[in-house]
């Protein structure tokens, strides 16, 4: 523990503040009593009526994934509210040391509680038809992967949350509401399916892999990206020089990740563009630029350096490159990626323009306008033109039109939005 | 090791508001510099930039002549900053809190124990070392904040309204702490509105107004202007005619039993003026320079602006 304290002081701080002897004793005693009662109940009524293994695994998953994620989701935002964040920023700790300390330190207490439940789950395993010895390792691996992934997501939300994005308990609660049923439900159901379905396998990039491995790796991979996003924001707060590779690498990763599934084979490959498109929109929402930032980037000492460019701009550039690559790799449906990239440029530039021109609730106004813009095709198509002009407003492939005519509306709108933004800057 | 800190062409904009406007400032190693100015002058903004909490829109910060932007961790390791508003880890005791920051500043465990005891003693919180931080009064919290800023023995100490919430005894102790700190060659920059106290322990002053530096220099000197002198004569009230037509003299005023006037000249010229007065028969009882306080100079500068 001392080495960990020295390497990651945040872990020591959490331990000193939250894992006091009385708190630990009370928590572990409670989970022990609960575990013993669940085990006793299973022994009394039989595992077919009440499965201690199943319930203990679910509770452990809820503690790790739900409570742990809640703790992680408050780790940075709570410090911002309390005024201790600046003090932490003043230390020479690197963004990685802060992020890793919070990642491991914040969910420490829930993790101890969850671990104290595991002996009861293992004790109940022989009674349960789901708790086969062969299933224990994949289950524990999956549980650990969901825990690590959910902590990283909690940390990311906490790091990105500020006054503008909702630096409040509500943000944290939102994360937990999303994660809790997902994890506490999926882990036991995974345990059940794993036993019942005889270790299902799936195809991924042509290889036959156990589903638990694909699922656990998915949690870990996206968790690692969430951690990196949290670290990026902490580095931003620490005024560390930022390297511009993250958003592009993430978008390429997302495409490669989904491309491994059979659903995206053949003509469906072009639909992969939807994932980096979402990433570009989120990047745009997460990073507003003021006029001052624009002026600094356009004319300051670091004028127009790639490392200083807004994240959404790099995201758009990456999206364009991915769209080109997907168009070439899916000759059956080459237009859709290009169309979506153009409309993404329109949407993102419009959002940034709103931020410079609309005084209040700029993001909300932008999203409403964009929603109307995407709703118009339905309205106009349904009532007036029978869908003939839908492609004016959204990325819709019109096979009966030539390529140039199909992409023209998106191109014009993207150029108009970019011109508006440039004028506002 | 003493460290100087400076800024070149510093600009900080918040939307349309320019909080710092092409500010150049040099703070010598080993000095205690008072940073004063009216509300909104840019003092807190400057301190946040100097401490590495905030990024300038333009310009650079130099620590010992080296730009800090490429390596902010070097700045963070060298600087101790007590912000105007800050929070405490309420679930930790002051000792635990300082131990945490000691590890964050990469002190070893032995050094942490020693420095924690030392700074708690310095700020008078030894008897509160092991109580919950949530039970501390406002003044004690301020003192704990100062202890945190001093903990890693920084080369440069930046304090934003450090006396806020402190009782008179604690203020006196703060002054002694800062003097002792600077006596070891460390650099201190302190922003405060309690100018009379700054006069007592600061060696230099920098006056900001509307984001610009309007005066900088030693506390014992004044802004670049004519010095003010006082003349008393034996017997009757002095006659302003005594000074009429004399070179470098202006702004003569009768102030009760004395004459005060501005004199644009060095000490040798002042001695020559005194000699002339005596030679011409004036019954000079006293002739001395009027020492203006930081408050006088500050008010004078602000009134000039108005």
């Amino acid at each position: 523990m001392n080495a960990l304290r020295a390497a990651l002081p945040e872990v020591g701080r959490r331990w000193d503040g939250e894992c006091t002897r009385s708190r630990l004793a009370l928590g572990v005693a409670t989970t022990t009593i609960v575990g013993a009662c669940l085990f006793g109940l299973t022994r009394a009524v039989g595992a077919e009526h009440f499965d201690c293994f199943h319930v203990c695994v679910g509770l452990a998953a809820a503690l790790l994934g739900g409570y742990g994620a809640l703790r992680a989701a408050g780790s940075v935002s709570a410090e911002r509210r309390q005024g201790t964040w600046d003090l932490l920023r003043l230390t020479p700790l690197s963004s990685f040391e802060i992020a890793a300390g919070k990642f491991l330190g914040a969910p420490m207490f829930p993790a101890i509680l969850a671990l104290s439940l595991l002996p009861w789950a293992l004790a109940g395993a022989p009674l349960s038809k789901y708790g086969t010895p062969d299933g224990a390792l994949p289950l524990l691996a999956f549980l650990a992967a969901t825990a690590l992934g959910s902590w990283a997501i909690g940390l990311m939300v906490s790091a990105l949350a500020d006054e503008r994005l909702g630096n409040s308990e509500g943000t944290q609660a939102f994360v937990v509401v999303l994660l809790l049923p997902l994890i506490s439900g999926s882990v036991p159901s995974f345990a059940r399916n794993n036993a019942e379905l005889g270790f299902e396998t799936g195809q991924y990039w042509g290889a036959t892999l156990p589903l638990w491995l694909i699922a656990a790796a998915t949690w870990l991979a996206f968790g690692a990206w969430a951690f990196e996003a949290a670290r990026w924001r902490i580095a931003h707060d620490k005024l560390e020089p930022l390297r511009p590779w993250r958003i592009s690498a993430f978008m390429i990763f997302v495409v490669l990740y989904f491309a491994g599934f059979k659903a995206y084979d053949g003509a469906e490959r072009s639909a992969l563009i939807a994932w980096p498109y979402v990433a570009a929109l989120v990047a745009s929402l997460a990073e507003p630029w003021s006029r001052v930032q624009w002026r600094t980037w356009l004319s300051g000492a670091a004028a127009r350096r790639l490392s200083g460019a807004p994240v959404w701009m790099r995201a758009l550039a990456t999206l364009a490159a991915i769209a080109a690559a997907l168009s070439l790799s899916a000759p059956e449906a080459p237009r859709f990626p290009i169309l979506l990239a153009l409309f993404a440029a329109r949407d993102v530039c419009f959002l940034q323009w709103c931020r410079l021109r609309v005084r209040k609730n700029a993001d909300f106004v932008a999203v409403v306008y964009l929603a109307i813009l995407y709703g118009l095709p339905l309205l106009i198509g349904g009532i007036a033109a029978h869908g003939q002009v839908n492609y004016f407003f959204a990325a819709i492939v019109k096979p009966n039109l030539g390529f140039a005519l199909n992409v023209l509306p998106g191109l014009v709108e993207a150029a108009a939005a970019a011109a508006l933004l440039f004028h506002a800057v | 090791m003493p460290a100087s800190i400076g800024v070149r062409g510093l600009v900080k904009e918040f939307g349309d508001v320019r909080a710092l406007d092409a500010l150049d400032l040099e703070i010598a190693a080993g000095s205690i510099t008072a940073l004063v100015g009216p509300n909104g002058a840019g003092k807190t903004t400057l301190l946040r930039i100097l401490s590495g909490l905030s990024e300038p829109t333009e310009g650079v910060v130099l620590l010992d002549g080296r730009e800090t932007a490429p390596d902010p961790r070097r700045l963070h390791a060298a600087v101790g900053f007590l912000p105007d508003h800050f929070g405490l880890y309420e679930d930790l005791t002051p000792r635990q809190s300082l131990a945490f920051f000691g590890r964050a500043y990469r002190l070893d465990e032995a050094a942490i124990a020693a420095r924690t005891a030392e700074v708690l003693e310095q700020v008078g919180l030894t008897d509160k070392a092991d109580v919950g931080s949530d039970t501390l009064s406002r003044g004690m919290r301020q003192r704990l904040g100062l202890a945190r800023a001093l903990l890693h023995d920084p080369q440069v100490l930046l304090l934003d309204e450090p006396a806020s919430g402190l009782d008179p005894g604690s203020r006196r102790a703060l002054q002694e702490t800062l003097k002792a700190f600077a006596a070891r060659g460390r650099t201190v920059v302190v922003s405060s509105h309690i100018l009379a106290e700054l006069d007592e322990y600061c060696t230099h002053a920098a006056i900001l107004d509307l984001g610009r530096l309007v005066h900088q220099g030693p506390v014992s000197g004044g802004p670049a202007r004519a010095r003010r002198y006082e003349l008393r004569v034996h017997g009757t009230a002095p006659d302003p005619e005594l000074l009429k037509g004399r070179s470098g003299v202006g702004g003569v005023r009768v102030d009760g039993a004395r004459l005060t006037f501005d004199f644009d000249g060095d000490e040798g010229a002042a001695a020559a003026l005194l000699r002339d007065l005596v030679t011409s028969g004036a019954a000079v009882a006293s002739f001395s320079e009027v020492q203006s306080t930081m408050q006088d100079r500050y008010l004078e500068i602000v009134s000039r602006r108005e």
Side-chain angles (χ1 to χ4, degrees), chain A residues 122-357:
Chain A
L122 294 176
L127 306 175
S128 167
K129 64 174 177 176
Y130 303 128
T132 60
D134 286 349
L137 188 62
L139 176 65
L140 289 178
F142 185 65
L143 183 62
T146 55
L148 294 175
S150 61
W151 298 351
I153 292 168
L155 178 65
M156 178 187 71
V157 170
S158 193
L160 292 178
D162 53 21
E163 295 75 14
R164 187 179 50 83
L165 288 175
N167 178 14
S168 67
E169 289 88 348
T171 314
Q172 300 156 31
F174 178 70
V175 175
V176 175
V177 164
L178 280 180
L179 287 176
L180 188 61
L182 188 70
I183 294 164
S184 57
S186 73
V187 173
S189 98
F190 174 83
R192 188 173 55 238
N193 289 339
N194 218 24
E196 282 179 350
L197 300 175
F199 297 98
E200 272 290 275
T201 56
Q203 289 284 314
Y204 191 66
W205 280 111
T208 304
L209 298 171
L211 278 183
W212 73 265
L213 185 60
I214 296 174
T218 298
W219 271 101
L220 287 179
F222 279 91
W225 278 108
F227 178 86
E228 192 52 35
R231 192 173 91 82
W232 171 81
R233 178 55 202 257
I234 293 169
H236 181 271
D237 281 6
K238 289 273 300 171
L239 308 186
E240 288 176 7
L242 299 172
R243 291 183 180 81
W245 56 269
R246 285 183 185 83
I247 187 69
S248 304
F250 176 68
M251 290 165 76
I252 292 167
F253 161 78
V254 166
V255 171
L256 292 176
Y257 169 79
F258 284 104
F261 292 103
K262 285 186 79 173
Y264 288 104
D265 280 354
E268 298 304 321
R269 182 137 294 186
S270 65
L272 283 169
I273 192 71
W275 298 104
Y277 166 74
V278 171
L281 280 185
V282 172
S284 177
L285 278 167
E287 196 204 28
W289 261 35
S290 64
R291 269 199 189 83
V292 172
Q293 283 171 299
W294 273 108
R295 273 209 305 273
T296 308
W297 185 61
L298 290 173
S299 61
R304 299 180 197 200
R305 268 188 212 155
L306 182 63
S307 58
V311 171
W312 63 263
M313 200 179 276
R314 296 200 295 268
L316 278 186
T318 310
L319 190 68
I322 292 172
L326 287 176
S327 291
L328 292 173
S329 70
E332 308 91 335
R335 277 189 211 175
F336 180 68
I338 292 168
L339 285 171
L340 198 63
L342 286 172
F343 281 101
R346 177 200 67 179
D347 298 347
V348 168
C349 288
F350 180 73
L351 180 63
Q352 299 302 325
W353 178 80
C354 278
R355 281 179 168 152
L356 294 179
R357 303 298 293 189

Side-chain angles (χ1 to χ4, degrees), chain B:
Chain B
M1 198 183 97
S4 65
I5 194 159
V7 298
R8 301 264 185 285
L10 208 65
V11 173
K12 181 67 182 178
E13 293 177 343
F14 298 101
D16 296 330
V17 177
R18 187 167 266 224
L20 294 176
D21 192 1
L23 186 73
D24 291 317
L25 180 65
E26 196 63 48
I27 292 165
S31 64
I32 306 181
T33 300
L35 192 62
V36 295
N39 293 330
K43 305 184 296 294
T44 295
T45 304
L46 176 61
L47 287 177
R48 286 180 69 81
I49 291 174
L50 289 178
S51 66
L53 276 181
S54 180
E55 212 171 12
T57 308
E58 283 174 33
V60 293
V61 175
L62 304 166
L63 180 68
D64 268 342
R66 275 171 61 198
E67 247 190 81
T68 59
D71 185 9
R73 289 172 69 188
R74 175 178 154 259
L75 179 68
H76 291 147
V79 169
F81 179 38
L82 177 67
D84 190 7
H85 299 290
F86 62 92
L88 296 178
Y89 292 114
E90 308 276 347
D91 51 358
L92 299 183
T93 65
R95 194 187 301 280
Q96 287 173 326
S97 193
L98 292 175
F100 163 65
F101 281 107
R103 287 183 200 108
Y105 280 101
R106 296 306 182 202
L107 304 181
D108 61 43
E109 290 298 320
I112 289 171
R115 284 295 296 160
T116 298
E118 200 176 323
V119 293
L120 284 172
E121 176 73 34
Q122 272 181 320
V123 301
L125 279 181
T126 304
D127 58 332
K128 298 285 181 188
D130 298 308
V131 304
S133 294
D134 54 346
T135 64
L136 299 180
S137 69
R138 184 172 171 224
M140 289 175 186
R141 295 166 80 89
Q142 188 75 359
R143 284 190 269 158
L144 179 57
L146 180 64
R148 181 203 52 75
L150 288 167
L151 181 70
H152 61 295
D153 198 15
Q155 295 170 41
V156 178
L157 184 62
L158 307 170
L159 306 168
D160 196 357
E161 296 291 348
S164 159
L166 297 186
D167 57 49
S170 301
R171 285 183 182 184
R172 173 59 62 185
L174 171 71
Q175 291 180 18
E176 296 309 318
T177 301
L178 296 184
K179 279 194 229 175
F181 184 77
R184 290 171 38 235
R186 304 298 201 230
T187 308
V188 181
V189 182
V190 52
S191 157
S192 175
H193 287 295
I194 310 171
L195 302 185
E197 287 184 8
L198 292 177
D199 252 337
E200 291 179 29
Y201 64 92
C202 289
T203 59
H204 292 72
I207 302 179
L208 294 187
D209 191 21
L210 298 173
R212 290 169 182 268
L213 183 69
V214 290
H215 164 68
Q216 186 185 11
V219 164
S220 52
R225 61 167 172 76
R227 293 174 179 181
R228 194 139 191 92
Y229 280 80
E230 174 190 283
L231 172 69
R232 288 175 192 268
V233 293
H234 288 292
T236 58
D239 182 0
E241 291 296 316
L242 278 173
L243 295 165
K244 195 170 182 184
R246 293 186 187 274
S247 168
V249 171
V252 180
R253 274 206 314 261
V254 180
D255 186 4
R258 63 180 190 159
L259 277 180
T260 60
F261 59 95
D262 294 333
F263 181 62
D264 191 5
D266 59 14
E267 281 164 9
L273 173 65
L274 173 61
R275 201 166 43 242
D276 282 356
L277 286 169
V278 173
T279 312
S280 63
V284 175
S286 70
F287 180 89
S288 59
E289 185 181 344
V290 180
Q291 290 293 325
S292 63
T293 64
M294 196 182 302
Q295 184 150 337
D296 295 333
R297 292 195 296 280
Y298 169 74
L299 291 174
E300 183 189 326
I301 287 165
V302 171
S303 64
R304 252 190 254 158
R305 182 190 72 168
E306 283 164 356

